[in-house]
Amino acid sequence: MSLASAPVPFEFWLFGLTLVGIALLQRRTLQVALVGLAAVVFYKLVFTGFRGGVGLPGLADHLGGQWVQLTNLFGLLTGFALLLIVFVLSAFLDNIAAAIIGGTMARTLFRDKLHIGYIACIVAASNAGGAGSVVGDTTTTMMWIAGVSPLAVLDAYVASIMAVLFCGVVGSIQQQRHSPIIKDASLGARIDWSRVGIVGFILAAAVGTNVVVNGFFSDHAHCFPYLGAVVWLALLTSSVVRRPDFSLVPRAALSSLFLLALVLCASLMPVEHLPEPGWHSAFGLGVVSALFDNIPLTALALQQGGYDWGILAFSVGFGGSMVWFGSSAGVGLSNLFPESRSVVAWVRAGWHVIVAYVLGFIAVMLVTGWHPTPERLAHGGSKAVSCQSAPTNP
């Protein structure tokens, strides 16, 4: 039996090995992702071909269909990295930024003595807050770019609220027993309203662009990375008011390249061999996202279609909170608190996050139920027209 006709296509084995390598080699994630992508491309070049054909022409056709989505994602990730209460913040800012802000606040309020269970709660709250917002998490932003309506992910908040209420109460009790909150916090903090206005301006530009492009010009949405371009144009325009910290761009670019390699690798998978989409599949993806990055899992789900995007957003977003390296927010916060970089310690102290995931999933299923979106809608609706102008007859 050939590799191409195996019950589990060999591409999935290569993809799985890539995710395992990322989980084990936390300091070499970019290199592992690029090697995995190269292995999948080589295999498809030599053995199976691509959806658009075989050999280099097939690869070129596939990249031609993916470059706009990848460029949009790169522009958003690097742009939002320059935008300097966790649950609420992460609905408007990236959940990584919300987790780090929350961790920094907690470090001051608890005299730098944080319980690992409380650290897990901060990560869970940031991921929960971002799950229902298309600008609050990379996974929901990917759904938004792919054509999923922002309203379709709002159901995630039903699960998020239940999950945060449970783990928040338990985590707060843990922290208060470990190190009580200080009662004499210093005053004098001042809000920089100019920066708040810049954040609002950039988010409004991104939301407005995506609404206009996907709502009125959806047939041409694949022709140019409008979303990423507008975000960067808004950033550069607003720099006359407050100069962004452009020193963050190189690091953000490397992190974005890592995520793009995983997304491109996922786009090469034969999704017709995956299990049928359903609530059980969404629940399972949430569990898997605790061990592997949720970005490629979301990319696979988008390629397959047929999911309830609000429930999936909660699953892959909040599910990653169950282990410290299961989400970007967890990895980012663990840089502030290295003692949390232990799977055993995280699960033992943050057991309530696991229970909260189950309770949140049950809550959203009981309240809203499972409402899958047809595959065509998940990829932007009607068939796209050619980006090139049709020749006119003389």
Side-chain angles (χ1 to χ4, degrees):
M1 181 178 60
S2 65
L3 291 176
S5 61
V8 178
F10 192 62
E11 295 98 322
F12 284 117
W13 289 105
L14 293 174
F15 191 43
L17 288 174
T18 302
L19 296 179
V20 171
I22 290 170
L24 296 178
L25 303 175
Q26 291 289 321
R27 298 181 182 274
R28 296 289 185 270
T29 53
L30 176 59
Q31 295 90 326
V32 173
L34 292 176
V35 169
L37 174 61
V40 172
V41 170
F42 177 79
Y43 174 75
K44 297 187 79 68
L45 279 172
V46 175
F47 296 102
T48 65
F50 304 85
R51 293 189 185 93
V54 297
L56 293 177
L59 175 61
D61 182 79
H62 184 81
L63 294 177
Q66 294 289 322
W67 81 273
V68 170
Q69 179 183 1
L70 295 173
T71 305
N72 268 331
L73 192 55
F74 182 82
L76 287 174
L77 291 173
T78 53
F80 286 162
L82 296 180
L83 299 179
L84 296 182
I85 357 194
V86 179
F87 180 73
V88 176
L89 274 177
S90 64
F92 302 99
L93 300 177
D94 185 85
N95 60 330
I96 306 171
I100 293 176
I101 292 172
T104 303
M105 293 168 57
R107 168 173 278 176
T108 300
L109 294 173
F110 294 104
R111 299 185 178 89
D112 208 20
K113 298 177 181 178
L114 263 64
H115 193 279
I116 293 179
Y118 193 71
I119 296 174
C121 278
I122 294 175
V123 173
S126 67
N127 288 332
S133 168
V134 292
V135 294
D137 189 277
T138 306
T139 56
T140 52
T141 300
M142 289 171 60
M143 295 177 188
W144 189 36
I145 293 174
V148 175
S149 168
L151 299 178
V153 301
L154 284 177
D155 287 352
Y157 280 135
V158 175
S160 294
I161 292 172
M162 170 62 75
V164 170
L165 284 175
F166 179 80
C167 69
V169 170
V170 178
S172 297
I173 293 174
Q174 286 179 321
Q175 180 58 44
Q176 191 67 14
R177 291 175 177 175
H178 179 69
S179 177
I181 191 171
I182 61 175
K183 299 179 180 180
D184 53 347
S186 59
L187 302 178
R190 185 177 63 87
I191 297 176
D192 188 339
W193 289 108
S194 295
R195 291 193 182 276
V196 173
I198 289 173
V199 172
F201 169 65
I202 294 173
L203 291 177
V207 172
T209 299
N210 213 32
V211 169
V212 171
V213 171
N214 284 304
F216 299 98
F217 305 100
S218 58
D219 289 346
H220 298 274
H222 73 297
C223 297
F224 184 78
Y226 300 101
L227 193 55
V230 166
V231 166
W232 269 93
L233 180 62
L235 270 170
L236 294 176
T237 302
S238 62
S239 64
V240 299
V241 179
R242 287 288 189 275
R243 184 180 182 276
D245 187 1
F246 287 106
S247 64
L248 298 174
V249 172
R251 180 182 298 178
L254 289 177
S255 299
S256 301
L257 182 60
F258 158 68
L259 295 177
L260 294 185
L262 291 179
V263 171
L264 182 56
C265 193
S267 73
L268 294 166
M269 296 297 106
V271 294
E272 63 273 9
H273 293 277
L274 290 172
E276 287 295 320
W279 67 265
H280 52 282
S281 301
F283 183 85
L285 285 175
V287 175
V288 174
S289 71
L291 302 175
F292 302 116
D293 196 282
N294 55 7
I295 303 299
L297 298 179
T298 304
L300 283 176
L302 286 169
Q303 289 287 326
Q304 189 179 21
Y307 279 93
D308 182 312
W309 302 113
I311 293 178
L312 183 73
F314 169 76
S315 297
V316 298
F318 191 89
S321 312
M322 294 188 285
V323 176
W324 72 269
F325 58 78
S327 69
S328 300
V331 173
L333 197 58
S334 68
N335 291 329
L336 291 179
F337 304 97
E339 66 274 15
S340 65
R341 292 182 178 176
S342 168
V343 174
V344 174
W346 188 282
V347 173
R348 180 181 297 169
W351 60 268
H352 40 79
V353 175
I354 300 174
V355 177
Y357 171 70
V358 176
L359 293 177
F361 196 93
I362 293 174
V364 73
M365 288 296 296
L366 291 176
V367 174
T368 68
W370 178 259
H371 301 290
T373 301
E375 182 177 358
R376 287 173 60 86
L377 295 180
H379 293 279
S382 59
K383 185 178 180 180
V385 299
S386 173
C387 297
Q388 298 179 349
S389 300
T392 57
N393 294 324

